[in-house]
């Protein structure tokens, strides 16, 4: 779960360099497997994924690709791409193409827009401009923990397509002149879904689990409701149990369940309000158009009167009275 207050941070925090590193890595030529000449059988040395034509050797999980890029401004960027083919398959499992991922960050970098934030741990977060992906800086210990967890995580997502675990699609390290910084890219689970009226980050704890006033994400002690899961409850609980077993196997405890709630009642009320507002606007436009139409009609009539031969004052007064009649502006 992501527990961060989103807002604009000063640009000197340097999130752009991580975006640049990501874009450059994703624009690099595709890599080939370390070895493709082996029998595709299940063994300790290989991992065969459902629906995948690429069979990974154990060495792929240890693979590191080092890149050096020079920006148009002449700056040098050094970056390490961890287990690139593993994360490429994780992208495929999440139905995310390499080009989609690269273009999303490229557009974010070009616009220098998105949502930056800092979490309680001091990590930086950045949401892409299309709201589809997130970038988070992580510590060295978190990076090592992810790498030791990677093979089981990879295998789990291949066999459990309905897993509730977040989809991590890239792990990188930016190598600066003074220090290095690792960061991960993962997909936003709330991308392209129904409008959400409430979001909860649930840990199953009561210690410091009240959200700050104005926070977009609520916590455990803010959760005063029941969730109806219907016929899917058994499958949902079974999947959560399988996911938690994997985390427990690797002694991972600092996780939470991110819940988004779409309220049909709130959505209907908003729809009715928007419809009412649109009706008022349409009525105002109709009135304005009708008044303009009759003003022009009046002008045309006046011009026609000037062209006609004069037949007495009574005729002209009658015409003038007809033009200014209030009945012309009455709406049905």
């Amino acid at each position: 779960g992501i527990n961060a207050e989103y807002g604009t941070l000063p640009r000197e925090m340097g999130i752009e360099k991580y975006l640049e590193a990501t874009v450059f890595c994703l624009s690099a030529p595709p890599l080939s497997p370390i070895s493709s000449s082996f029998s595709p059988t299940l063994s300790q040395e290989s991992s065969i994924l459902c629906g995948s034509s690429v069979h990974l050797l154990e060495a792929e999980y240890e693979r590191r690709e080092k890149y050096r890029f020079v920006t148009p401004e002449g700056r040098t960027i050094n970056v390490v791409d961890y287990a690139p083919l593993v994360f490429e398959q994780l992208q495929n499992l999440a139905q995310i193409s390499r080009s989609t991922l690269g273009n999303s960050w490229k557009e974010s970098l070009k616009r220098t827009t998105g949502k930056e934030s800092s979490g309680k741990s001091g990590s930086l977060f950045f949401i892409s401009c299309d709201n589809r992906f997130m970038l988070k800086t992580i510590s060295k210990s978190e990076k090592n923990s992810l790498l030791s967890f990677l093979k089981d995580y990879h295998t789990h997502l291949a066999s459990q397509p309905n897993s509730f675990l977040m989809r991590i699609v890239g792990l990188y390290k930016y190598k600066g002149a003074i220090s290095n910084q690792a960061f991960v890219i993962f997909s936003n689970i709330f991308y392209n879904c129904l409008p959400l009226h409430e979001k909860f980050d649930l840990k199953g704890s009561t210690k410091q689990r009240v959200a700050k006033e104005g926070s977009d994400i609520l916590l455990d002690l803010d959760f005063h409701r029941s969730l109806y899961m219907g016929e899917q409850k058994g499958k949902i609980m079974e999947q959560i149990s399988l996911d938690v077993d994997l985390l427990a196997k690797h002694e991972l405890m600092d996780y939470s369940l991110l819940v988004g709630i779409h309220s049909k009642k709130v959505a209907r009320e908003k729809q009715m309000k928007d419809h009412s507002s649109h009706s008022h606007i349409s009525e105002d436009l109709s009135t304005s158009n009708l008044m303009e139409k009759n003003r022009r009609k009046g002008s045309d009539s006046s011009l026609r009167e000037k062209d006609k031969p004069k037949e007495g004052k009574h005729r002209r007064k009658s015409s003038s009275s007809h033009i200014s009649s209030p009945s012309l502006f009455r709406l049905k």
Side-chain angles (χ1 to χ4, degrees), residues 283-297:
E283 184 176 337
D284 291 342
L285 289 173
S286 298
T287 303
S288 175
N289 291 338
L290 186 56
M291 291 178 70
E292 177 65 18
K293 180 179 178 181
N294 284 296
R295 187 188 67 77
R296 291 178 180 177
K297 183 177 180 181

Side-chain angles (χ1 to χ4, degrees), residues 80-99:
V80 179
D81 187 356
Y82 291 90
L85 288 185
V86 177
F87 283 106
E88 184 176 322
Q89 286 201 355
L90 288 171
Q91 293 165 21
N92 293 336
L93 289 171
Q95 298 182 342
I96 298 169
S97 69
R98 185 182 178 89
S99 60

Side-chain angles (χ1 to χ4, degrees), residues 140-166:
K140 183 178 180 179
S141 61
E142 288 175 317
K143 180 203 71 177
N144 292 336
S145 177
L146 174 57
L147 289 173
S148 65
F149 172 65
L150 184 58
K151 183 176 181 180
D152 284 348
Y153 172 75
H154 181 207
T155 306
H156 181 80
L157 291 185
S159 61
Q160 302 292 330
N162 296 319
S163 171
F164 289 102
L165 294 178
M166 62 189 293

Side-chain angles (χ1 to χ4, degrees), residues 207-255:
K207 185 177 181 180
Q208 298 180 344
R209 298 302 291 170
V210 177
K212 295 179 181 178
E213 185 176 353
S215 175
D216 290 338
I217 300 181
L218 304 175
L219 306 180
D220 296 69
L221 293 179
D222 306 307
F223 192 81
H224 307 295
R225 58 160 67 242
S226 298
L227 292 179
Y228 175 71
M229 303 182 195
E231 297 178 354
Q232 298 296 316
K233 180 178 179 179
K235 293 181 179 179
I236 291 173
M237 299 308 295
E238 180 183 1
Q239 186 62 65
I240 290 177
S241 179
L242 290 170
D243 293 339
V244 170
D245 286 345
L246 175 65
L247 298 173
K249 176 183 175 182
H250 289 267
E251 300 182 345
L252 298 174
M253 291 180 61
D254 190 15
Y255 59 87

